[in-house]
């Protein structure tokens, strides 16, 4: 089955719409984050102007938007460049001066011919006893009155695209929009007071008053629900498909695990134990495990992963752990080595760095099973890597991999138990959208003895004096991470900012300063990183490549420049790099001047708590429906119509609805099921549809 043809009109390119050419088409595409008509239909108005107020000139109040019917009396051309052209108009009750800058005489002759009647709309102002209107928003002939005297939605715009252009294009899109078979339950629709998809999209673009802009408006609710239902349904379909695959029951008596645990200088925390019990219960079942372990940075996920691996190793199968970066894979190798050596388990590491013959040899050891544990990056999940019997795949910091890689991975791991681990504290509602009904374990307790990080907000002007303070610290053995801001979407610019800071610090500290960024080759990164870990370098200037996982207990100062540009979850992760050793730790959040109140509040949360889950919930609350820098990297789905803060209850409803639907019609073959397939296409949940087709 391919996309239903009814959807064609909304999947056409934007340039098929009136007033959209190649040039503003590109601009629109950037604004909307998509090049389809549908992307435009999903662009919500943020405000509106009410042009229905239509007084006589004498009654038009100062400062109010009014639509007037006037007769054009006189053109008064600009006396010289830079001065406006004035047009005098009357309606029998008084006169108004229309003021225009930079318009040619031809334009006036055509748009506002003398003695003709025109409808004009805009803000009326009193200026020295005379009414005036600067650049009316709309001008039309009398017969166009109905199109002007309306409520005009105002959209978020981008330079080069006017609201008028956008409105025209949206009108065009609305006129070709199809009517689709209803996918929502009729009784539910009635109970909610919602209209059809078609009518709801129309209402979205036709707010009648303030309520039309609120997330509580029935049209906005319905459309949010559609989006959430598509999300939940697609996750559930993928999950259903996976659950059908049988796994192996990993029955063992835990001797391998015991060998590892006996090497540790500490006991597992209660949370780690609880998490392992949940994992063990899954793994004893002959079904495929798909479990998410959420645990703050430093909560001790690595040892949990190693213990889980022992379940399959003891049964003679292999286990793998995949990290998002080379650095992290190497770090895992270091952590695992003493544990696995103690238990007499063979292991191997595979990353992009292994080339040629060496790589072939690694493949061989994976294929013949002589490598019991395999550590690596996504290189592990390429087609050429074939395991003898992969019993458990652990995906670390999996939010960095993105939904698509995750799905590709689930293909690779048919019948394999999967444990995903993330340090990104995700609010509960978001967990639902990202993982559907995947099982979740939380490690919500840190190993004992962690010292709180002294977190301070610092205006940019004070950076120099902070460098002085750091100088004293370094002399007594401190080690500093210095993270440079995300600039735009550009790796090149990120790098420039980091290099500039590196130069400044190097002037003072010479070769004690290292620089690490995404453009370095893997071995170059390793070299810098290990120089920092050894203490040969005292300051490590970095772009966000150090974001996840890296463990240097001696590092006790974290500086984050332009902290306001990071998501709170990211800041939290970065801060988690320090506070791991014996020394007191600091985190300086450097901000630029002119910070908004909300931005300040967000940073203040960082000062108030180190609990990642609280930080995540607060962040969601504060940023509301707005975009946040850093979500791009989070791997979480982003919604255009749903606002998880306002529509959390709809998400829960969509989840329940999904369960009900799939319990009765898991291949979506009933009449409603077929309509739901259209919904999946509408929200481009192609992966889920593929699963359906695979059966
Ligand atoms: P993360 O959850 O961020 O991956 P790690 O697994 O890297 O955390 O653990 C961070 C540090 O805490 C490591 O040095 C690890 O040895 C240590 N650790 C883990 N569990 C415990 C525990 N129960 N008690 C004390 N230290 C622990
Ligand atoms: Mg980790």
């Amino acid at each position: 089955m391919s996309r239903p043809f009814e959807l064609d009109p909304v999947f056409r390119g934007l340039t098929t719409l009136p007033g959209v050419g190649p040039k503003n088409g590109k601009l629109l595409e950037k604004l909307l984050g998509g090049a389809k008509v549908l992307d435009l239909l999903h662009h919500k108005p943020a405000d509106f102007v009410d042009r229905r107020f239509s007084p006589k000139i004498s009654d038009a109040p100062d400062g109010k938007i009014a639509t007037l019917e006037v007769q054009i009396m006189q053109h008064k051309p600009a006396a010289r460049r830079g001065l406006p052209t004035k047009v005098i108009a009357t309606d029998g009750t008084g006169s108004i001066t229309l003021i225009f800058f930079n318009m040619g005489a031809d334009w006036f002759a055509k748009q506002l011919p003398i003695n003709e009647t025109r409808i004009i709309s805009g803000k009326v102002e009193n200026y020295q006893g005379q009414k005036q209107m600067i650049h009316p928003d709309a001008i039309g002939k009398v017969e166009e009155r109905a199109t002007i005297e309306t409520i005009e939605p105002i959209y978020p715009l981008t330079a080069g695209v006017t609201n008028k252009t956008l409105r025209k294009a949206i009108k065009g899109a609305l006129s070709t929009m199809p009517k689709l078979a209803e996918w929502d339950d009729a009784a539910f629709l009635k109970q909610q007071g919602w209209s059809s998809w078609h009518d709801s999209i129309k209402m979205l673009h036709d707010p009648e008053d303030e309520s039309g802009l609120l997330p509580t408006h029935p049209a906005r609710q319905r459309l949010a629900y559609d989006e959430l239902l598509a999300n939940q349904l697609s996750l559930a379909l993928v999950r259903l498909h996976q659950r059908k695959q049988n796994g192996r029951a990993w029955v063992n008596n835990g001797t391998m695990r015991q060998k590892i645990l006996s090497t540790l200088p500490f006991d597992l925390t209660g949370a780690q134990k609880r998490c392992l019990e949940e994992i063990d219960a899954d793994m004893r079942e002959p079904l495929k495990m798909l479990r998410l372990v959420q645990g703050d940075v430093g909560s001790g996920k690595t040892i949990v992963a190693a213990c889980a691996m022992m379940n399959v190793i003891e049964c003679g199968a292999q286990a793998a752990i995949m990290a998002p970066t080379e650095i992290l894979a190497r770090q895992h190798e270091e952590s695992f080595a003493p544990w696995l050596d103690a238990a007499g388990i063979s292991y191997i590491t595979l990353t992009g760095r292994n080339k040629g013959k060496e790589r072939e040899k690694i493949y061989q050891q994976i294929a013949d099973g002589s490598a019991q544990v395999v550590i690596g990056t996504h290189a592990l999940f390429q087609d050429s890597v074939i395991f003898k019997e992969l019993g458990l795949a652990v995906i670390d910091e999996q939010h960095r991999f993105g939904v698509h890689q995750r799905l590709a991975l689930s293909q690779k791991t048919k019948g394999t138990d999967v444990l995903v681990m993330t340090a990104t504290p995700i609010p509960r509602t978001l967990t639902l959208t990202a993982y559907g009904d995947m099982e979740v374990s939380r490690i919500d307790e840190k190993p004992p003895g962690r010292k709180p990080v002294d977190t301070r907000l610092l205006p940019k002007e004070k950076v120099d004096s902070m460098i002085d303070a750091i100088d004293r610290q370094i002399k007594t053995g401190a080690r500093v991470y210095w993270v440079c801001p995300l600039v735009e979407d550009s790796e090149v610019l990120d790098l420039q900012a980091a290099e500039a800071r590196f130069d400044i610090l190097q002037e003072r500290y010479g070769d004690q300063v290292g620089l690490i960024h995404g453009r370095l080759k893997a071995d170059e990164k390793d070299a810098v990183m290990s120089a920092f870990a050894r203490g040969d370098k005292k300051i490590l200037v970095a772009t966000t490549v150090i974001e996840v996982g890296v463990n240097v207990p001696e590092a006790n100062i974290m500086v984050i420049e332009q902290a306001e540009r990071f998501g709170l979850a990211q800041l939290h992760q970065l801060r988690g790099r320090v506070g791991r050793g014996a020394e007191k730790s600091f985190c300086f959040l450097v901000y630029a001047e002119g910070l908004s109140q909300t931005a300040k509040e967000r940073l203040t949360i960082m000062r108030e708590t180190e609990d990642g889950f609280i930080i995540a919930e607060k962040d969601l609350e504060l940023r509301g429906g707005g975009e946040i820098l850093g979500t791009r990297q989070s791997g979480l789905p982003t919604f255009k119509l749903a606002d998880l803060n306002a529509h959390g209850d709809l998400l829960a409803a969509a989840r329940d609805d999904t369960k009900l639907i799939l319990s009765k019609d898991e291949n979506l073959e009933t009449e409603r099921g077929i309509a739901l397939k259209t919904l999946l296409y509408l929200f481009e949940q192609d992966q889920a549809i593929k699963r359906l087709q695979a059966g």
Side-chain angles (χ1 to χ4, degrees):
M1 175 184 155
S2 53
R3 194 174 67 218
F5 69 89
E6 302 93 83
L7 291 179
D8 288 353
V10 295
F11 274 80
R12 281 190 197 123
L14 288 168
T15 48
T16 59
L17 293 171
V20 184
K23 209 168 142 207
N24 59 5
K26 275 268 169 300
L27 294 172
L28 265 182
E29 185 180 335
K30 211 159 173 220
L31 173 70
L32 304 172
K36 302 180 305 301
V37 169
L38 190 63
D39 297 312
L40 188 62
L41 289 173
H42 285 170
H43 192 52
K44 296 179 286 196
D47 202 352
F48 64 84
V49 176
D50 190 345
R51 301 196 184 284
R52 293 172 306 176
F53 178 52
S54 184
K56 289 290 175 198
I57 292 178
S58 61
D59 298 332
D62 185 20
K64 228 183 141 172
I65 299 276
T67 299
L68 306 172
E69 181 172 333
V70 296
Q71 198 180 7
I72 308 302
M73 304 304 290
Q74 192 192 353
H75 295 171
K76 289 181 166 176
R80 56 184 164 79
R81 262 177 74 100
L83 290 180
T85 299
K86 295 180 178 174
V87 173
I88 311 297
T90 64
D91 69 353
T93 70
S95 76
I96 185 163
T97 309
L98 312 179
I99 295 182
F100 298 88
F101 289 89
N102 302 322
M103 293 295 206
D106 298 355
W107 186 86
F108 288 100
K110 212 167 144 200
Q111 295 296 323
L112 296 164
I114 308 279
N115 287 331
E116 304 246 331
T117 303
R118 285 290 180 270
I119 307 294
I120 56 164
S121 185
K123 196 202 265 176
V124 176
E125 287 162 312
N126 272 334
Y127 180 70
Q128 297 180 344
Q130 169 63 24
K131 298 217 160 140
Q132 67 174 35
M133 189 184 284
I134 302 173
H135 276 272
D137 302 323
I139 298 173
K141 296 185 180 152
V142 175
E143 58 270 27
E144 290 170 313
R145 178 175 206 125
T147 65
I148 296 176
E149 205 176 10
T150 56
I151 293 180
E152 183 183 314
I154 307 289
Y155 294 90
L157 296 173
T158 181
V161 180
T162 62
N163 201 57
K164 210 168 155 187
T165 310
L166 206 64
R167 282 240 299 158
K168 190 167 169 193
I170 286 177
K171 276 195 179 150
L174 290 172
S175 69
T176 59
M177 190 177 45
K179 292 199 163 150
L180 303 172
E182 183 58 62
W183 48 75
D184 275 333
D185 180 58
F188 179 63
L189 281 183
K190 197 161 166 220
Q191 176 207 336
Q192 298 284 341
W194 293 347
S195 312
S196 67
W197 172 77
H198 180 271
D199 291 351
S200 299
I201 292 267
K202 283 209 150 145
M203 279 187 253
L204 178 72
H205 294 288
D206 193 14
E208 286 177 351
D209 49 36
E210 276 79 11
S211 75
L213 301 172
L214 298 177
T216 45
H217 188 272
R220 292 207 176 201
Q221 293 231 325
R222 146 106 217 196
L223 296 171
Y225 189 75
D226 287 344
E227 188 172 35
L228 293 169
L229 185 61
N231 162 270
Q232 289 298 294
L233 198 55
S234 93
L235 284 169
L237 283 167
V238 172
R239 174 93 173 106
L240 193 70
H241 182 82
Q242 283 173 344
R243 207 181 253 151
K244 279 193 188 156
Q245 303 163 4
N246 286 333
R248 198 174 137 182
W250 304 105
V251 179
N252 67 95
N253 54 25
T255 41
M256 287 284 194
R257 178 181 298 182
Q258 216 41 59
K259 280 187 196 167
I260 287 187
L261 288 176
S262 65
T263 69
L264 298 179
F266 52 76
D267 287 329
L268 295 184
T269 62
Q272 283 170 318
K273 285 184 190 153
R274 211 175 321 118
C275 180
L276 271 170
E277 277 164 22
E278 289 164 357
I279 292 169
D280 290 346
D282 281 355
M283 293 183 78
R284 272 194 301 269
E285 297 293 322
L287 295 172
K288 182 185 168 104
M289 171 172 77
L290 196 58
R291 181 171 286 276
L292 172 73
V293 173
Q294 276 188 304
D296 234 333
V297 172
S299 61
K301 293 185 292 297
T302 319
I303 185 68
V304 169
C307 287
M309 284 176 161
M310 293 309 111
N311 286 341
V312 304
I313 302 289
E314 198 168 321
C315 297
Q318 293 164 293
I321 180 163
M322 177 168 83
T325 64
E326 169 96 25
I327 295 178
L328 278 173
R330 297 288 159 197
Q331 187 139 24
H332 277 321
E333 184 181 47
E334 273 173 41
S335 307
F336 275 74
W339 302 335
L340 299 179
D341 286 340
I345 294 164
S346 63
Y347 56 92
I348 206 162
T349 303
L350 172 67
T351 69
R353 203 164 77 177
N354 307 105
K355 300 250 153 58
K357 281 225 162 60
E358 188 195 0
R359 196 176 184 91
E360 291 302 321
K361 204 173 149 212
I362 295 174
Y363 286 166
Q364 186 55 41
Q365 286 171 281
I366 297 174
D368 66 19
S370 54
Q372 291 170 283
V373 169
V374 186
I375 301 160
T377 55
H378 51 268
L380 278 187
F381 292 98
Q382 278 152 9
D383 288 340
S384 35
V385 180
I386 297 158
F387 287 85
K388 180 156 183 262
E389 189 192 0
L390 182 59
L392 174 68
V394 181
I395 327 282
D396 193 18
E397 305 296 353
Q398 68 95 41
H399 65 284
R400 293 283 297 246
F401 289 107
V403 177
H404 290 290
Q405 273 161 311
R406 229 156 68 206
L407 288 165
L409 170 80
S410 72
Q411 293 283 59
K412 186 91 193 173
T413 57
K414 282 203 165 91
T416 298
D417 282 350
V418 176
L419 190 64
V420 295
M421 308 199 297
T422 180
T424 305
I426 305 169
R428 280 184 197 280
T429 38
L430 283 180
T431 312
L432 208 56
T433 65
Y435 306 103
D437 59 349
M438 188 169 171
E439 264 66 58
V440 180
S441 297
R442 279 187 164 192
I443 307 185
D444 49 9
E445 175 189 351
K446 285 205 182 160
R450 289 280 150 82
K451 293 206 181 78
V453 179
D454 186 341
T455 301
R456 300 181 185 187
L457 307 193
L458 195 79
K460 200 174 154 195
E461 307 84 76
K462 299 232 170 109
V463 165
D464 288 339
S465 56
M466 183 189 55
I467 294 181
D468 292 336
I470 285 179
D471 193 40
R472 291 191 290 276
Q473 295 270 339
I474 286 184
K475 291 208 173 92
T476 61
R479 244 173 276 169
V480 184
Y481 284 113
W482 193 299
V483 180
C484 289
L486 285 166
V487 185
E488 310 279 323
D489 271 345
S490 157
E491 209 183 313
V492 180
L493 292 178
D494 283 3
L495 184 51
Q496 279 173 6
E499 276 172 341
R501 178 54 70 195
F502 175 71
D503 288 345
I504 292 171
L505 289 168
Q506 208 181 23
E507 259 173 41
R508 180 150 184 176
Y509 295 101
D511 58 9
Q512 293 190 89
V513 190
L515 173 64
I516 190 165
H517 55 78
R519 288 275 176 103
L520 290 182
K521 294 209 188 71
D523 48 349
E524 294 169 330
K525 277 189 215 165
D526 284 359
V528 180
M529 202 62 224
S530 39
F532 182 65
R534 279 196 310 271
D536 294 349
K537 303 249 182 244
K538 306 281 193 226
I539 303 180
L540 184 65
V541 178
T543 54
T544 41
V545 290
I546 62 153
E547 185 189 343
V548 285
V550 179
N551 189 22
V552 180
E554 295 83 0
N556 63 331
I557 298 177
M558 169 67 65
V559 180
I560 304 172
E561 288 199 61
Q562 283 200 304
E564 72 274 13
R565 302 200 63 119
F566 292 89
L568 284 193
Q570 245 179 325
L571 289 178
H572 176 67
Q573 290 237 336
L574 288 168
R575 181 172 58 185
R577 308 291 116 230
V578 297
R580 298 179 162 214
E583 296 303 315
K584 178 172 169 151
S585 295
F586 296 89
C587 175
F588 296 100
L589 302 175
V590 182
Y591 62 88
E593 55 202 297
L595 210 55
S596 74
Q597 191 53 36
T598 321
K600 249 216 172 106
E601 267 178 57
R602 288 179 67 233
L603 290 184
T604 310
I605 294 171
M606 295 300 297
R607 210 175 52 198
E608 283 164 1
T609 178
E610 279 187 64
D611 183 323
F613 292 109
I614 295 180
I615 288 172
E617 300 285 353
K618 281 261 159 93
D619 191 28
L620 181 67
E621 204 179 290
L622 265 185
R623 83 178 118 106
E627 258 313 307
I628 181 186
L629 279 152
T631 34
R632 179 171 57 92
Q633 297 182 323
S634 71
L636 293 172
T638 50
F639 295 104
K640 286 194 164 158
L641 299 165
D643 166 355
L644 291 175
N645 237 354
H647 298 135
D649 52 337
L650 293 183
L651 178 62
R655 180 165 104 137
D656 294 346
D657 203 4
T658 295
K659 275 194 187 147
L660 198 68
I661 292 163
L662 294 181
S663 71
K664 290 193 232 160
D665 180 21
E666 71 171 55
N667 295 316
L668 300 185
E669 286 161 339
T670 62
E671 196 183 331
R672 183 177 182 203
I674 290 163
L676 282 161
K677 273 188 207 160
T678 305
L679 173 71
L680 289 174
Y681 275 109
L682 196 61
F683 286 97
E684 295 176 88
Q685 300 288 354
D686 299 15
Q687 289 285 350
I689 292 163
K690 264 196 215 142
R691 289 307 140 98
L692 270 177
Q693 284 161 348

